[in-house]
Amino acid sequence: MKMMIINIFFILSLVSSISFASVQDFCVADPSGPQGPSGFSCKNPDQVTANDFAFSGLAKAGNTSNMIKAAVTTAFAPAFSGVNGLGISVVRLDLAAGGVVPLHIHRGASEVLIVIEGTIRGGFISSDNKVYLKTLQKGEVIVFPQGLLHFALNNGTGPALAFAALGSSNPGVQLVPSALFASDLPSELVEATTFLSREEIRRLKRVFGGSN
Amino acid sequence: MKMMIINIFFILSLVSSISFASVQDFCVADPSGPQGPSGFSCKNPDQVTANDFAFSGLAKAGNTSNMIKAAVTTAFAPAFSGVNGLGISVVRLDLAAGGVVPLHIHRGASEVLIVIEGTIRGGFISSDNKVYLKTLQKGEVIVFPQGLLHFALNNGTGPALAFAALGSSNPGVQLVPSALFASDLPSELVEATTFLSREEIRRLKRVFGGSN
Amino acid sequence: MKMMIINIFFILSLVSSISFASVQDFCVADPSGPQGPSGFSCKNPDQVTANDFAFSGLAKAGNTSNMIKAAVTTAFAPAFSGVNGLGISVVRLDLAAGGVVPLHIHRGASEVLIVIEGTIRGGFISSDNKVYLKTLQKGEVIVFPQGLLHFALNNGTGPALAFAALGSSNPGVQLVPSALFASDLPSELVEATTFLSREEIRRLKRVFGGSN
Amino acid sequence: MKMMIINIFFILSLVSSISFASVQDFCVADPSGPQGPSGFSCKNPDQVTANDFAFSGLAKAGNTSNMIKAAVTTAFAPAFSGVNGLGISVVRLDLAAGGVVPLHIHRGASEVLIVIEGTIRGGFISSDNKVYLKTLQKGEVIVFPQGLLHFALNNGTGPALAFAALGSSNPGVQLVPSALFASDLPSELVEATTFLSREEIRRLKRVFGGSN
Amino acid sequence: MKMMIINIFFILSLVSSISFASVQDFCVADPSGPQGPSGFSCKNPDQVTANDFAFSGLAKAGNTSNMIKAAVTTAFAPAFSGVNGLGISVVRLDLAAGGVVPLHIHRGASEVLIVIEGTIRGGFISSDNKVYLKTLQKGEVIVFPQGLLHFALNNGTGPALAFAALGSSNPGVQLVPSALFASDLPSELVEATTFLSREEIRRLKRVFGGSN
Amino acid sequence: MKMMIINIFFILSLVSSISFASVQDFCVADPSGPQGPSGFSCKNPDQVTANDFAFSGLAKAGNTSNMIKAAVTTAFAPAFSGVNGLGISVVRLDLAAGGVVPLHIHRGASEVLIVIEGTIRGGFISSDNKVYLKTLQKGEVIVFPQGLLHFALNNGTGPALAFAALGSSNPGVQLVPSALFASDLPSELVEATTFLSREEIRRLKRVFGGSN
């Protein structure tokens, strides 16, 4: 091997001659700072550690003893502070037999869902009212294009587990039944804008806890 | 005035020394070409005229003799070919007394709605189920943030007219009642993902013409 | 109807099992906070109301008793605080007979203009110096592609009214005559960069109030 | 329930009065068409089925009997045709004990990695040469910010499985050792641009099959 | 050195286990294919060579024997085919003593200008008519924010040379004097939208060759 | 010339009837404010001057008396405060004979490099391990597509000078040898993720100053 002689002067020179700031390699969320349209303020990079880029909140199964027999656990900014500004995030779906993630949308973010255990039926509806339905086994993936109503159900006999990634660091989830029946949107407006009967609306407002 | 002497040589030189292509000043939609994720192929610029940037299809009132007592007329690409690639488009809303634009979303596009005539109540629901409702008079404007369920009603006594602009050249419109009841999404899936009763679903499938 | 038995435990479970933050459903402008490249800081969502998403400042006709016989009234962020971060905004154009919106550009935002009353001639010039001119009647629409010089005139006999939407929450307006003649750009620089005569520049600087 | 009387005329009216094109609800990749900067051409929507949005190629474990004791199986466009234009994709990582995904980058896409089985050590290096290292157990997640060198290793005793999502429909993977030693980048250029010794370069070119 | 024994089987395994398409590492412009809103179609990657990423057209000084005593030579897509889709491009400015790049804008692209030789005065005007003027010596840089009118002059005594980069692969250049006086925009419209006198307009239409 | 009579009332009317905020014509970096994912906070526009848009730090040659016989001087935000939010920045490369800018990447930003003096060999490697190499003379340009490993060498006999522009206001630079050998990435991880021998890693850690 040809010897490469490099003295300490050269090394120091290298450090000073190529000194680049890395302030925006990442922008770990600092929820105490102001938010802007593109996300949370950045935590001081000097205080950022590897822990900011990891999230263990999805390691434990969610509790599915509820009306939907399902649990959706999110790893969005700012809880998962490292994804702030990176346009990606994750959710964990636990579905007991018969469990369902009700009809919902995310704010303009597409979603890929990966089945880890069990059998999941995923579907979405296009804006010209076509239905795209697919039953997925372990290891199979489905994509829900951004801004379209979609859902997922456990149509197997045992529990199901899936992880999904979304194309936003904080994509939100707008559940149609919650928007209609857990909110205080007056029943007459729900009726007028959905064509549901007043009786049905009142029944579901009681179920979901909505007022008016 | 100080005379500026410029001979023909100079003029021609100017033309040749500063010759810039303008192939992408605009990308008028050519629906006969392939589409890509960012929109339609561009029409040959040599064949583009001022007419491509104008649209007269919104000049006439829509027919509101229908179930929703409303008409939504769109100026989206490719019908309004000039907006292709420009991230903006327009719709006209005619609402008879009691008319409604049902609960819907657009694919990630925000919307500004301007009331031209009458009184319109616009509203949207946030992803944490808060309701934002506003009654607008002539000349007033409301913005519906992207990806959130929203609607508009004529809550005046006479007809209402509004124009709305959307932040996409082809934003789509996904009407919740049509998605559920005019599609062939099986009734048991509608029930499972919305908590509506089977009876209500069947009633509305008959109304909207959905199968299954 | 099959009875759906849901106890209060299930309802509360639903609320906790699907709890999504909605901090970025919108980012209503808080002008007192710092601005960033993507817009104003977001107002605390708890203090946001429906009023933040509505704007009544365009309801009244602008005063057209001025040199251009026209008034341009804007609904941009932060005045229209709800549009911050949503990439869309609105302006109202009142044009008396003979009124004109002078030659101008917006910062990279495309514009759709809708004629509400009267007759408006809209035009733009491409970067290879082609002119696209269109006379629009009530209800007709024109699109001005982003970053190109454009203008609008009332070429009817009575007043004209139009609304325009722009693909930015704060698109700015750079009027060419104001930039040249209402600024303190030295006359010799105006002359050198536009080829206008010094006399003409001085005359217009007096008209528009520019110095130098 | 108040009876809602709707005759067939109204239903048909609804269909015609609200007819929206959905050409861009999605842009399923058509690899036979031209590509553009934003992705593949879109398949004719009439020929799109639910199968286009699902991918079963990740269901089977990759073969880890190789030098890196690992297999990276990708679900990118156009193989996973439904993700085209949606800015998201998926990969499956199988790592035998001691397996490694070598140092690499993606073209500007951030990545979230979810451990499904085993123990994985993930790390990345910032542009100011700080190292962020984290050992993850089943169910834990790490995010690799876009454009930074990163890697993953199985540092457990048994096999490990992970899925990762990337913020691009076709993010590419540039492996540093392959770029240097499996390419035909001349050895003297590898030496000059990395400071590796000529002997080491030649040794690794033999391992990886690179020429020059 | 510890010997690393790697047999040919392992090497081949590596190649097959990590096989990633790179179809979108770049999208070299193929002007014979259709254009879309995001740029030109991509040339078949198999036919792409290093030459596609290099451009020698800026190596030669432009001819400044013209009215503006300047030459602007562009390296935009598709002439510089490698920049297609990459959001960046270059121009060369040669300015004889007294030479000027007239008042102009680019379609939403910001510009950084680097002085290589001589003295250049660069300036831009904000949308509230403030003027930002700076005289630059060799090696100094100025940035012109996107969508604002700007210009550059040689205010030294000898020739000047600069290179500028723009944040678009094909940013266009719209010269205000050419738009007004080299186009066929009718003189009465130029007058109405700029307040210039008819005499001045006619004089400059003769200079620039515009009709009407 | 037809006299245009305009009284002071008209002039003042113009000013008030067309009053547009220009808060986002630019967003000069204020490093004392919070950062967000899209960049630095904006300096108060009232305190912005032409100096904020100019940068003289590239006017002086960098010191090339170092290991790489090269100096890379950057004009990124916040040092070059005017480029904040504009998606563009500049670097100066000084390369003594034999000088090299080692293998590196930028965070998703493409780069155009313009040779001002001397002969420079630029190259990049695609994600399928193809090498694109080009030797450039004075005035020639090369583009490095975003997110791909690239480098530049002076392969002439005298000094070389180049300027490069990057498609980000703060693109960062991640040098592969520094990431590996100037960091504290443990030697066993360097070995595992790059296939370099432990001896070579230790040798280079000594050269670059890395620990572990």
Side-chain angles (χ1 to χ4, degrees):
Chain A
M1 192 177 83
K2 187 187 154 208
M3 190 59 193
M4 185 187 281
I5 301 172
I6 298 156
N7 66 32
I8 192 67
F9 169 74
F10 283 165
I11 297 170
L12 292 178
S13 299
L14 178 63
V15 172
S16 62
S17 66
I18 306 182
S19 116
F20 305 101
S22 71
V23 290
Q24 292 272 357
D25 275 349
F26 40 71
C27 176
V28 171
D30 173 6
S32 70
Q35 288 184 49
S38 58
F40 293 88
S41 289
C42 311
K43 194 174 170 178
N44 182 337
D46 294 341
Q47 295 169 356
V48 169
T49 71
N51 291 336
D52 289 300
F53 300 100
F55 191 77
S56 59
L58 305 188
K60 210 180 125 195
N63 184 351
T64 61
S65 298
N66 53 39
M67 190 171 78
I68 58 170
K69 297 178 186 162
V72 178
T73 315
T74 61
F76 294 169
F80 186 2
S81 60
V83 296
N84 184 47
L86 299 182
I88 204 157
S89 59
V90 190
V91 299
R92 173 188 177 124
L93 308 180
D94 291 282
L95 298 114
V100 60
V101 182
L103 195 73
H104 68 284
I105 43 168
H106 309 282
R107 284 185 301 265
S110 292
E111 174 180 351
V112 286
L113 183 153
I114 310 152
V115 178
I116 302 303
E117 181 188 327
T119 304
I120 289 179
R121 196 170 199 191
F124 68 91
I125 309 161
S126 69
S127 62
D128 57 354
N129 305 322
K130 286 189 188 153
V131 177
Y132 297 82
L133 265 180
K134 190 79 188 174
T135 297
L136 307 160
Q137 307 299 335
K138 185 179 172 177
E140 293 185 318
V141 179
I142 189 168
V143 62
F144 300 122
Q146 68 164 11
L148 298 180
L149 290 163
H150 61 284
F151 56 83
L153 305 100
N154 179 346
N155 63 341
T157 52
L161 170 64
F163 286 96
L166 293 128
S168 164
S169 64
N170 185 9
V173 178
Q174 181 163 44
L175 292 160
V176 173
S178 299
L180 293 176
F181 309 124
S183 72
D184 60 357
L185 185 64
S187 294
E188 67 268 23
L189 287 184
V190 179
E191 183 183 12
T193 63
T194 64
F195 296 90
L196 296 174
S197 71
R198 193 68 67 92
E199 286 76 6
E200 182 71 353
I201 294 164
R202 284 184 180 145
R203 181 182 71 82
L204 286 164
K205 286 223 171 213
R206 283 190 299 271
V207 171
F208 283 88
S211 54
N212 293 313
Chain B
M1 189 177 82
K2 189 185 151 206
M3 190 60 194
M4 185 187 283
I5 299 171
I6 299 156
N7 66 32
I8 193 68
F9 168 74
F10 282 166
I11 299 170
L12 292 179
S13 299
L14 178 63
V15 172
S16 63
S17 65
I18 307 182
S19 117
F20 304 102
S22 70
V23 290
Q24 292 271 357
D25 275 348
F26 39 72
C27 177
V28 172
D30 173 7
S32 70
Q35 288 183 49
S38 60
F40 293 89
S41 289
C42 311
K43 194 174 169 178
N44 181 336
D46 294 341
Q47 293 168 358
V48 169
T49 70
N51 291 335
D52 289 300
F53 300 101
F55 192 75
S56 59
L58 304 188
K60 213 180 123 196
N63 183 352
T64 60
S65 299
N66 54 40
M67 192 171 78
I68 58 169
K69 297 179 186 160
V72 178
T73 315
T74 62
F76 294 170
F80 186 3
S81 60
V83 296
N84 185 48
L86 299 182
I88 203 158
S89 59
V90 190
V91 299
R92 175 189 176 124
L93 308 181
D94 290 282
L95 299 117
V100 61
V101 182
L103 196 72
H104 68 284
I105 42 166
H106 308 282
R107 283 186 302 264
S110 292
E111 173 180 352
V112 284
L113 183 153
I114 310 152
V115 178
I116 304 301
E117 184 188 326
T119 303
I120 289 179
R121 197 170 198 189
F124 68 91
I125 308 160
S126 68
S127 62
D128 56 355
N129 305 323
K130 286 190 188 151
V131 177
Y132 297 82
L133 266 180
K134 189 79 188 174
T135 298
L136 306 161
Q137 307 299 335
K138 184 179 172 177
E140 294 185 317
V141 179
I142 190 169
V143 61
F144 299 123
Q146 68 164 12
L148 297 180
L149 290 164
H150 61 285
F151 56 82
L153 305 101
N154 179 346
N155 63 342
T157 53
L161 170 64
F163 285 97
L166 293 129
S168 163
S169 65
N170 185 12
V173 178
Q174 181 162 43
L175 292 159
V176 173
S178 299
L180 293 175
F181 309 124
S183 72
D184 60 357
L185 185 65
S187 294
E188 67 269 22
L189 287 184
V190 179
E191 184 183 9
T193 63
T194 64
F195 297 89
L196 295 174
S197 70
R198 193 67 67 93
E199 287 76 7
E200 182 71 353
I201 293 164
R202 284 185 178 144
R203 181 182 72 81
L204 286 165
K205 286 223 170 214
R206 284 192 298 271
V207 172
F208 283 88
S211 53
N212 294 313
Chain C
M1 191 176 83
K2 188 187 154 206
M3 191 59 193
M4 185 186 281
I5 300 170
I6 298 156
N7 66 32
I8 192 68
F9 168 74
F10 282 166
I11 297 171
L12 292 179
S13 299
L14 178 64
V15 171
S16 62
S17 66
I18 306 182
S19 116
F20 305 102
S22 71
V23 291
Q24 292 272 356
D25 276 348
F26 39 73
C27 177
V28 171
D30 172 7
S32 70
Q35 288 184 50
S38 59
F40 292 89
S41 288
C42 310
K43 194 174 168 177
N44 182 337
D46 294 340
Q47 295 167 356
V48 169
T49 70
N51 291 335
D52 288 302
F53 300 100
F55 192 76
S56 58
L58 304 189
K60 211 181 124 195
N63 183 353
T64 61
S65 298
N66 53 39
M67 191 171 79
I68 59 169
K69 297 178 185 162
V72 178
T73 315
T74 61
F76 293 169
F80 187 3
S81 59
V83 296
N84 184 47
L86 298 182
I88 203 157
S89 59
V90 190
V91 299
R92 174 189 177 123
L93 308 180
D94 292 282
L95 298 116
V100 60
V101 182
L103 195 73
H104 67 283
I105 43 168
H106 309 281
R107 285 186 299 265
S110 292
E111 174 180 352
V112 285
L113 182 153
I114 310 153
V115 178
I116 304 303
E117 183 189 326
T119 304
I120 290 180
R121 196 171 200 190
F124 67 90
I125 309 161
S126 69
S127 63
D128 56 355
N129 305 323
K130 286 190 187 152
V131 177
Y132 297 83
L133 264 181
K134 190 78 187 174
T135 297
L136 307 161
Q137 307 299 335
K138 184 179 172 176
E140 293 185 319
V141 179
I142 190 169
V143 61
F144 299 122
Q146 67 164 14
L148 297 180
L149 290 164
H150 61 284
F151 55 83
L153 305 101
N154 178 347
N155 63 341
T157 52
L161 171 64
F163 286 96
L166 292 129
S168 164
S169 65
N170 185 10
V173 178
Q174 181 162 46
L175 293 160
V176 173
S178 300
L180 294 175
F181 309 125
S183 72
D184 60 356
L185 185 65
S187 295
E188 67 268 22
L189 287 184
V190 179
E191 184 182 10
T193 63
T194 65
F195 297 90
L196 295 174
S197 71
R198 193 67 67 92
E199 286 76 5
E200 184 69 353
I201 293 163
R202 286 185 178 145
R203 182 181 72 82
L204 286 164
K205 286 223 169 211
R206 284 190 298 270
V207 171
F208 283 87
S211 54
N212 292 314
Chain D
M1 190 177 84
K2 190 187 152 206
M3 189 60 193
M4 186 187 281
I5 301 172
I6 299 157
N7 66 31
I8 191 68
F9 168 74
F10 283 165
I11 299 170
L12 292 179
S13 297
L14 178 64
V15 172
S16 62
S17 66
I18 307 183
S19 114
F20 305 102
S22 70
V23 291
Q24 292 272 357
D25 275 349
F26 40 70
C27 177
V28 171
D30 173 7
S32 71
Q35 289 184 49
S38 58
F40 292 89
S41 289
C42 311
K43 194 173 169 178
N44 182 337
D46 294 340
Q47 295 168 356
V48 169
T49 71
N51 292 334
D52 289 299
F53 301 100
F55 192 76
S56 58
L58 305 188
K60 211 180 124 195
N63 184 351
T64 60
S65 298
N66 53 41
M67 190 171 78
I68 58 169
K69 298 179 187 161
V72 179
T73 315
T74 62
F76 294 170
F80 186 2
S81 59
V83 296
N84 185 47
L86 298 182
I88 203 157
S89 60
V90 191
V91 299
R92 175 188 177 123
L93 308 181
D94 291 282
L95 297 115
V100 61
V101 183
L103 196 72
H104 67 283
I105 42 167
H106 310 281
R107 284 185 301 265
S110 292
E111 174 180 351
V112 284
L113 183 152
I114 309 152
V115 178
I116 304 302
E117 183 188 326
T119 303
I120 290 179
R121 196 171 199 191
F124 68 90
I125 307 160
S126 68
S127 62
D128 55 355
N129 304 325
K130 287 190 186 151
V131 177
Y132 297 82
L133 265 182
K134 189 80 188 172
T135 297
L136 306 160
Q137 307 299 335
K138 183 179 173 177
E140 293 184 318
V141 180
I142 190 169
V143 61
F144 299 122
Q146 67 165 12
L148 297 180
L149 290 164
H150 61 283
F151 56 83
L153 305 101
N154 179 346
N155 63 340
T157 51
L161 170 64
F163 287 96
L166 292 128
S168 164
S169 64
N170 185 9
V173 178
Q174 180 161 43
L175 292 160
V176 173
S178 300
L180 292 175
F181 309 124
S183 72
D184 60 356
L185 185 64
S187 294
E188 67 268 24
L189 287 184
V190 179
E191 183 183 11
T193 64
T194 63
F195 296 91
L196 295 173
S197 71
R198 193 67 67 91
E199 287 76 5
E200 182 72 353
I201 295 164
R202 286 187 178 141
R203 182 182 71 83
L204 286 164
K205 286 222 170 217
R206 283 190 299 272
V207 171
F208 283 87
S211 54
N212 292 311
Chain E
M1 192 176 82
K2 189 186 153 206
M3 190 59 193
M4 185 187 283
I5 301 172
I6 298 157
N7 66 32
I8 192 69
F9 167 74
F10 283 165
I11 298 170
L12 290 179
S13 298
L14 178 63
V15 172
S16 63
S17 66
I18 307 183
S19 115
F20 305 101
S22 71
V23 290
Q24 293 271 356
D25 275 348
F26 39 72
C27 177
V28 171
D30 172 6
S32 70
Q35 289 183 49
S38 59
F40 293 89
S41 289
C42 311
K43 193 173 171 178
N44 181 337
D46 294 341
Q47 294 168 357
V48 169
T49 70
N51 291 334
D52 289 300
F53 300 100
F55 192 76
S56 58
L58 305 189
K60 210 181 124 194
N63 183 351
T64 60
S65 299
N66 53 41
M67 191 171 78
I68 58 168
K69 297 178 187 162
V72 178
T73 314
T74 62
F76 294 169
F80 185 3
S81 60
V83 294
N84 185 48
L86 299 182
I88 204 158
S89 59
V90 191
V91 298
R92 175 190 176 122
L93 308 180
D94 291 282
L95 298 114
V100 60
V101 182
L103 196 73
H104 67 283
I105 42 169
H106 309 282
R107 284 185 301 264
S110 292
E111 173 180 352
V112 285
L113 183 153
I114 310 151
V115 177
I116 303 303
E117 182 188 328
T119 303
I120 289 180
R121 196 171 198 191
F124 68 91
I125 307 161
S126 69
S127 63
D128 56 354
N129 305 322
K130 287 191 188 152
V131 177
Y132 297 82
L133 265 181
K134 190 79 187 172
T135 297
L136 306 160
Q137 307 299 335
K138 184 179 173 178
E140 293 185 318
V141 179
I142 190 169
V143 61
F144 299 123
Q146 68 165 10
L148 297 180
L149 291 163
H150 62 283
F151 56 83
L153 304 100
N154 178 347
N155 63 342
T157 51
L161 170 64
F163 287 96
L166 292 128
S168 164
S169 65
N170 185 9
V173 179
Q174 180 162 43
L175 292 160
V176 173
S178 299
L180 293 175
F181 309 124
S183 72
D184 60 357
L185 184 65
S187 294
E188 67 268 23
L189 287 184
V190 179
E191 184 183 10
T193 62
T194 62
F195 297 90
L196 296 174
S197 71
R198 193 67 68 90
E199 287 77 5
E200 183 70 353
I201 293 164
R202 285 188 178 139
R203 181 182 72 83
L204 286 164
K205 286 223 169 213
R206 284 191 298 272
V207 171
F208 282 88
S211 54
N212 293 312
Chain F
M1 191 176 82
K2 190 185 152 204
M3 189 59 192
M4 185 186 281
I5 300 172
I6 298 155
N7 65 32
I8 192 68
F9 169 73
F10 282 165
I11 298 171
L12 291 179
S13 298
L14 178 64
V15 171
S16 62
S17 66
I18 306 181
S19 113
F20 305 101
S22 70
V23 290
Q24 291 271 359
D25 275 348
F26 39 72
C27 177
V28 171
D30 172 8
S32 70
Q35 287 185 51
S38 59
F40 292 89
S41 289
C42 311
K43 193 173 170 179
N44 182 337
D46 294 340
Q47 294 168 355
V48 169
T49 70
N51 291 335
D52 289 300
F53 300 100
F55 192 76
S56 58
L58 305 188
K60 211 179 125 194
N63 183 351
T64 61
S65 298
N66 53 40
M67 190 170 79
I68 58 169
K69 297 179 188 162
V72 178
T73 315
T74 62
F76 294 171
F80 186 2
S81 60
V83 296
N84 185 47
L86 298 182
I88 204 158
S89 59
V90 190
V91 299
R92 174 188 177 124
L93 308 180
D94 291 281
L95 298 115
V100 59
V101 182
L103 195 72
H104 67 284
I105 42 167
H106 309 281
R107 286 186 299 266
S110 292
E111 173 179 352
V112 284
L113 182 154
I114 310 152
V115 177
I116 303 302
E117 183 188 326
T119 303
I120 289 180
R121 196 171 199 190
F124 67 91
I125 308 160
S126 69
S127 61
D128 56 353
N129 305 323
K130 287 190 187 152
V131 177
Y132 298 83
L133 265 181
K134 189 79 188 172
T135 298
L136 307 160
Q137 307 299 335
K138 183 180 173 176
E140 293 185 318
V141 179
I142 190 169
V143 61
F144 300 121
Q146 68 164 12
L148 298 179
L149 290 164
H150 61 283
F151 55 83
L153 306 100
N154 179 348
N155 64 340
T157 51
L161 170 65
F163 287 96
L166 292 129
S168 164
S169 64
N170 185 10
V173 178
Q174 180 162 45
L175 293 160
V176 173
S178 299
L180 293 174
F181 309 124
S183 72
D184 59 356
L185 185 64
S187 294
E188 66 268 24
L189 287 184
V190 179
E191 183 182 12
T193 63
T194 64
F195 297 90
L196 295 174
S197 70
R198 194 67 67 91
E199 287 76 6
E200 182 71 353
I201 293 164
R202 286 187 178 141
R203 182 183 71 83
L204 285 164
K205 286 222 170 215
R206 283 191 298 271
V207 171
F208 282 88
S211 54
N212 293 310

